[in-house]
Amino acid sequence: EAQVTQNPRYLITVTGKKLTVTCSQNMNHEYMSWYRQDPGLGLRQIYYSMNVEVTDKGDVPEGYKVSRKEKRNFPLILESPSPNQTSLYFCASRATGGVPGELFFGEGSRLTVL
Amino acid sequence: AQSVTQPDIHITVSEGASLELRCNYSYGATPYLFWYVQSPGQGLQLLLKYFSGDTLVQGIKGFEAEFKRSQSSFNLRKPSVHWSDAAEYFCAVGARNTDKLIFGTGTRLQVFP
């Protein structure tokens, strides 16, 4: 089954404790992206990657890092999480040659930073 | 500045009633337009998209949307709502040469039996 898989789905952590949210897709997509969803703000892009070893900042990259060493994986790293990073995070991918904006989303990772 | 406005935060309808969710956008060029649906505890799923051509587009689950350039709108419609349509709906606008999407703040749809 074609899918985007995120882990963990739920996480409660404390300020300053490094964490990684993994994202993996099995569709051989080149484009991948991370979004955060906050009430009243919709979805905002954190980082995106056009291909392996190619990443770029989105609209809200502060406090986050990403890497793209393999086509299928695009982990989101929070080096020193803070309470304002409490949010619902989505990973998404797009088919190679597909229409810009036509995205496949993971089921989301709900992160709480105390 | 590019933006998407969904004026209705929360809409409640009875099952079987018709539905229209509003979306207005501000964009310099001819945009790509999308509606995504987020069911509880799930990721976003593409309902439909507009790129060019016929301004009335059909999507999955019986939804349709109409692009009105003069009104900068892309409203989502369904003639008869089912209880399973209860979800949050997001309108999004993108550009033809980039993957950047601007999302609206969403409209939560509640369906009463």
Side-chain angles (χ1 to χ4, degrees), chain B residues 10-95:
Chain B
H10 187 202
I11 283 183
T12 301
V13 299
S14 298
E15 191 169 20
S18 64
L19 173 70
E20 181 168 27
L21 302 183
R22 296 182 290 166
C23 173
N24 293 95
Y25 67 90
S26 173
Y27 206 80
T30 302
Y32 287 171
L33 294 160
F34 305 86
W35 275 99
Y36 282 88
V37 59
Q38 183 182 20
S39 299
Q42 301 295 315
L44 282 75
Q45 180 184 20
L46 181 67
L47 272 179
L48 48 76
K49 57 186 181 285
Y50 170 79
F51 300 140
S52 63
D54 193 346
T55 56
L56 183 64
V57 294
Q58 303 296 321
I60 61 171
K61 306 185 181 186
F63 285 91
E64 66 177 27
E66 185 171 12
F67 171 54
K68 293 186 177 180
R69 185 188 303 275
S70 61
Q71 298 177 19
S72 297
S73 70
F74 189 56
N75 294 348
L76 182 71
R77 301 194 294 249
K78 187 169 184 178
S80 178
V81 171
H82 188 263
W83 64 267
S84 60
D85 293 325
E88 188 151 22
Y89 292 80
F90 291 93
C91 181
V93 61

Side-chain angles (χ1 to χ4, degrees), chain A residues 7-27:
Chain A
N7 280 295
R9 294 288 311 281
Y10 302 91
L11 179 63
I12 300 174
T13 190
V14 295
T15 298
K17 186 176 181 180
K18 180 180 178 180
L19 68 92
T20 299
V21 185
T22 64
C23 174
S24 181
Q25 50 90 7
N26 62 0
M27 297 170 280

Side-chain angles (χ1 to χ4, degrees), chain A residues 3-112:
Chain A
Q3 57 187 1
V4 178
T5 303
Q6 298 179 222
N7 280 295
R9 294 288 311 281
Y10 302 91
L11 179 63
I12 300 174
T13 190
V14 295
T15 298
K17 186 176 181 180
K18 180 180 178 180
L19 68 92
T20 299
V21 185
T22 64
C23 174
S24 181
Q25 50 90 7
N26 62 0
M27 297 170 280
N28 201 37
H29 289 175
E30 289 183 347
Y31 177 88
M32 298 184 73
S33 181
W34 276 103
Y35 290 84
R36 61 177 289 174
Q37 181 183 7
D38 301 289
L41 297 177
L43 279 80
R44 294 176 293 167
Q45 190 180 51
I46 304 170
Y47 269 95
Y48 65 95
S49 170
M50 298 299 292
N51 210 331
V52 175
E53 302 293 359
V54 180
T55 63
D56 209 345
K57 297 177 180 178
D59 297 316
V60 288
E62 295 78 19
Y64 304 95
K65 286 176 57 177
V66 293
S67 68
R68 188 87 183 275
K69 293 183 171 59
E70 308 166 277
K71 183 182 276 191
R72 65 182 292 123
N73 296 323
F74 190 44
L76 180 69
I77 303 157
L78 285 73
E79 294 272 3
S80 183
S82 62
N84 65 12
Q85 292 178 298
T86 292
S87 187
L88 179 58
Y89 292 87
F90 288 102
C91 181
S93 68
R94 172 177 63 76
T96 302
V99 176
E102 187 170 353
L103 301 174
F104 293 83
F105 283 85
E107 293 187 323
S109 296
R110 184 168 293 281
L111 171 65
T112 301

